[in-house]
Amino acid sequence: MIITFAGFTSCEQDDDVVFVAQPDPDGVMFVNATAESYTLTNQTANNLAERFVWNEVDFAAPTTVTYELQGSSVSDFSTFTTIGTTGDNNLGVTVRQMMSLAMEAGLDNDPETEMPNTGQIYFRVRAYAGTDGSNGLNAVSEAMSLNVILPEAEEETGPELPKIYVTGNFAVASGYEADWTPEAGIPLAAAADGQTNYEGFIYMNVDTPNYKFLPTNEGWDGNWGDAGDADGAYTEVLESPGVNAGTPDGTGGYFLVKADTEALTYSLTETNWGVIGNATPTGWDSDTDMVYDADNKIWTLTLDLTQQEAPDNGIKFRANDAWDLNIGDNDADGTMEFNGQNIGVPESGNYTITLDLSNPRMYTYTLTKN
């Protein structure tokens, strides 16, 4: 590849400056460290799995250098997928992209099949002069192998947590099945087996909610209400059977509900959720409000996000424009923890963001690029 520039001087003498592009003697190679293994789940499909970094290539000519990250299910790259191209020396790969390669390699997460759920996938980077890769001047790195795991279905679900149930006059109006029906009770989950501290989120979309707590969803035996004198009381003290419990201000909303059946206490905290972080247009200064979808029981938002890497950067979910109730993701596995770490954004773009708090103590989110 020869690039010629014609130069002119004030003495009207023509100088031809010729640059002959040459291969970089150092070639191109990955410089990032990798994890011992990568656990890939559908819940975390949109999360950043790894950011590949390589050295910059010098073709000894003033021309653009393009880098193409390739992924393959086979080590010889007889077939491969182009993950993306960039002029920078790094590119992120999502869990979804790794899962696609893993499935091409014959892995699956179905416990009913004989297919393995662990194996290897491969990545390499190609550098070439220019932008279309047709000039023949390029360098290709050695392949990097990554160990991947697709947890089988029963491994992903985890142990069943003990539950109690809530039923009342608000259910049908709030997108649940039936009012005052134990079988359609909305679950609260304990922190672990043998514990009595239950929690969950419940939408009560009526003017004056009334409800009871049930030890099972099979009937009314042993139900708890409020220890107050009249229906709609909110003393935060449980009594069996008690009167129908109410809400802090007597009106509806989307509540974090907690109950301790040993201490005989309960509480409701109204919550309205938003997204905050340096990946959002308003940074860490203010939230962007989400909207509750009662039909699907999720909070949702469409928003432009910029690429950010967790845990130092990214986004978090928080309630009521304050940090008292905030949720992050400590393990980048799509399940969430109160006061958890920031959530990374794999690449800049317009995203549909969802927050699902309907499964008690198994709170999840998605970032889907539009």
Side-chain angles (χ1 to χ4, degrees), residues 24-35:
D24 189 327
D26 295 327
V28 62
M29 65 189 72
F30 291 115
V31 297
N32 60 289
T34 59

Side-chain angles (χ1 to χ4, degrees), residues 41-256:
T41 69
N42 290 323
Q43 291 176 316
T44 62
N46 296 303
N47 290 1
L48 181 72
E50 182 58 79
R51 178 164 297 280
F52 289 89
V53 184
W54 49 84
N55 63 293
E56 293 185 355
V57 173
D58 183 3
F59 287 123
T63 183
T64 299
V65 177
T66 302
Y67 301 95
E68 178 182 273
L69 182 63
Q70 302 171 352
S72 180
S73 59
V74 290
S75 60
D76 63 2
F77 280 77
S78 53
T79 61
F80 64 85
T81 298
T82 298
I83 303 297
T85 59
T86 179
D88 297 324
N89 71 328
N90 66 90
L91 197 65
V93 177
T94 65
V95 170
R96 187 186 306 280
Q97 290 169 317
M98 283 196 182
M99 287 182 74
S100 178
L101 294 173
M103 291 176 182
E104 288 179 15
L107 310 183
D108 74 20
N109 64 352
D110 186 349
E112 301 300 321
T113 71
E114 296 183 359
M115 303 297 291
N117 72 324
T118 63
Q120 290 185 319
I121 56 176
Y122 305 88
F123 292 89
R124 71 182 184 185
V125 61
R126 174 189 175 217
Y128 54 85
T131 58
D132 63 6
S134 62
N135 54 63
L137 187 62
N138 65 85
V140 180
S141 73
E142 293 184 359
M144 173 186 286
S145 64
L146 300 185
N147 298 314
V148 294
I149 303 169
L150 276 62
E152 293 184 344
E154 67 266 23
E155 295 177 30
E156 283 196 54
T157 58
E160 182 73 15
L161 295 173
K163 292 183 174 64
I164 62 173
Y165 298 85
V166 177
T167 187
N169 68 345
F170 62 86
V172 172
S174 308
Y176 303 106
E177 291 182 25
D179 292 346
W180 296 114
T181 305
E183 293 77 13
I186 301 147
L188 307 179
D193 191 31
Q195 296 194 21
T196 61
N197 56 332
Y198 297 86
E199 75 169 36
F201 286 87
I202 300 179
Y203 185 39
M204 298 184 181
N205 187 32
V206 293
D207 291 338
T208 309
N210 273 222
Y211 56 93
K212 285 283 192 83
F213 297 90
L214 307 174
T216 74
N217 60 352
E218 297 175 356
W220 289 95
D221 290 348
N223 71 85
W224 298 278
D226 191 275
D229 296 328
D231 288 344
Y234 181 76
T235 67
E236 298 190 334
V237 178
L238 292 176
E239 184 177 89
S240 182
V243 300
N244 296 333
T247 62
D249 64 0
T251 64
Y254 188 89
F255 297 96
L256 170 60

